[in-house]
């Protein structure tokens, strides 16, 4: 059988969190949206139909919720922590993309959201 490389996407994970450089942001909080895309070789799970042979998206969602609950000044920092944990806790993930969006950011303009996108590949 050929090697199956696939991606798994968790889209629009909704979280209320307390990130930002302004004191008000860490007290009042804001709505955030997180998107995770992971790439992995899933040949085994295509045949076995077993959760242990794939990337568990329940785990990915839990990692996002737990890391978003830790206040940070920068979205880049939050995305980096999410990325680090996914690589550490899901051995099948070879590459990932984490997008963290702050909804209605306080930047003095009519902007629906601001997003940081972090893409990393596991080093061999």
């Amino acid at each position: 059988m050929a090697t199956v490389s696939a991606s798994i996407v968790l889209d629009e994970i909704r979280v209320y969190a307390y990130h930002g450089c302004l004191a008000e942001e860490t007290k009042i909080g804001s709505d955030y949206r997180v998107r995770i895309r992971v790439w992995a070789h899933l040949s085994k799970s295509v045949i076995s139909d077993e959760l242990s042979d794939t990337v568990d998206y329940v785990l990915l969602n839990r990692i996002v919720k737990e890391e978003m609950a830790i206040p940070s000044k920068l979205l880049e920092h939050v995305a980096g922590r999410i990325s680090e944990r996914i690589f550490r806790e899901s051995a099948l993930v070879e590459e990932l993309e984490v997008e963290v969006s702050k909804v209605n950011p306080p930047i003095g303009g009519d902007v629906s959201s601001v997003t940081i996108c972090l893409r990393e590949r596991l080093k061999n």
Side-chain angles (χ1 to χ4, degrees), residues 22-63:
L22 303 175
E24 306 86 56
E25 294 176 291
T26 59
K27 289 179 184 166
I28 298 169
S30 185
D31 288 311
Y32 292 83
R33 302 290 180 263
V34 180
R35 182 177 191 272
I36 303 291
R37 181 177 208 141
V38 299
W39 286 266
H41 288 291
L42 300 179
S43 303
K44 194 171 180 182
S45 64
V46 168
I47 295 168
S48 73
D49 196 27
E50 294 295 331
L51 179 60
S52 60
D53 294 332
T54 191
V55 177
D56 184 352
Y57 49 81
V58 172
L59 171 67
L60 299 179
N61 188 58
R62 184 177 48 110
I63 289 170

Side-chain angles (χ1 to χ4, degrees), residues 73-107:
K73 292 178 190 171
L74 302 177
L75 298 181
E76 294 89 326
H77 189 255
V78 180
R81 287 198 324 264
I82 292 169
S83 173
E84 180 183 322
R85 279 208 44 206
I86 290 172
F87 280 131
R88 188 172 64 236
E89 296 181 30
S90 186
L92 291 175
V93 174
E94 297 175 341
E95 186 174 348
L96 60 74
E97 189 173 81
V98 179
E99 292 182 14
V100 180
S101 301
K102 181 177 236 176
V103 179
N104 298 317
I107 61 174

